[in-house]
Amino acid sequence: MAAVAAAKPASRRVGFVGAGRMAEAIAQGLIRAGKVEAQQVLASAPTDRNLCRFRALGCQTTHSNQEVLQGCSLVFFATKPHVLPAVLAEVAPVVTPEHILVSVAAGVSLSSLEEEGAMVLARGRHARSGEVELLQTLLEACGQCEEVPEAQVDIHTGLSGSGVAFACVFSEALAEGAVKMGMPSGLAHRIAAQTLMGTARMLLQKGQHPALLRADVCTPGGTTIHGLHALEQGGLRAATMSAVEAATCRAKELSRK
């Protein structure tokens, strides 16, 4: 295992069992950041419907899940949660101690993965520090990557995984407000997206609580405080908290199934 962990990321073969949007996003991030070469990526799926996007990136593809495990030491499982148990049983005969297996399927517990000898970022019994560090190094190409206790994985799904859709709804609503006041739709949506991106960048760069940035842009009697009052009257804060709670609860339900 030490020899595998010491291998350079760019020379490592990376596999994807499942070729949906999540798998494609991770693969694109790794390739664009130079963490892995496109031809070193191998993805599997039952049909060519999603594999064509991997081929467009220059990646290798197959319809055999076992072929991915036989050719790659680091494998991401990106199937639907209800499909994963059958997939794990299928590939179990070719799993070796040299494999690092990562699930990005929502609602799948470590115990169910460990029954097939899998290792994930939310560290299970078999995952070692070197493997976790290697995975974090690779996934930094796709954004922030941190090790968390398994109990927080479902919360992360509700916050970050589902949060993309929540942020899109808010961006859409911002733009529609501007359209209502007379701004062209295309321009309104571009400005709304840029506003969210700029806000996120400032929060990450400054590392401060969002309330501090909010207070900085609120002048007494100004436009922003009047707008915030309208948001509070509409229950935005409570609705958003409830959305994260609902998504987290659903992730927990999936794990129990």
Side-chain angles (χ1 to χ4, degrees), residues 12 15 45-46 63 111 122 132-133 136 159 173 186 199 226-227 252:
R12 177 181 296 277
H63 295 303
S111 59
V132 172
E133 291 171 3
Q136 287 180 304
L159 173 60
T199 303
H226 277 75
K252 293 181 183 296

Side-chain angles (χ1 to χ4, degrees), residues 26 33 36 41 49-50 67 69 77 81-82 85 90 99 102 152-153 161 172 179 204 229 233 246:
I26 295 174
V36 64
V41 174
R49 185 168 62 91
N50 291 331
E67 184 179 341
L69 273 292
F77 287 86
H82 69 278
E90 174 192 350
H99 279 106
V102 184
Q152 296 181 11
V153 171
E172 184 181 10
V179 171
L204 290 173
H229 185 207
Q233 286 179 318

Side-chain angles (χ1 to χ4, degrees), residues 162-173 196:
S162 300
V164 173
F166 305 157
C168 285
V169 170
F170 185 64
S171 181
E172 184 181 10
L196 292 180

Side-chain angles (χ1 to χ4, degrees), residues 18-28 49-50 53-54 78 80:
R21 294 296 186 184
M22 177 67 76
E24 181 189 4
I26 295 174
Q28 282 184 331
R49 185 168 62 91
N50 291 331
R53 295 198 294 267
F54 274 80
K80 298 293 185 182

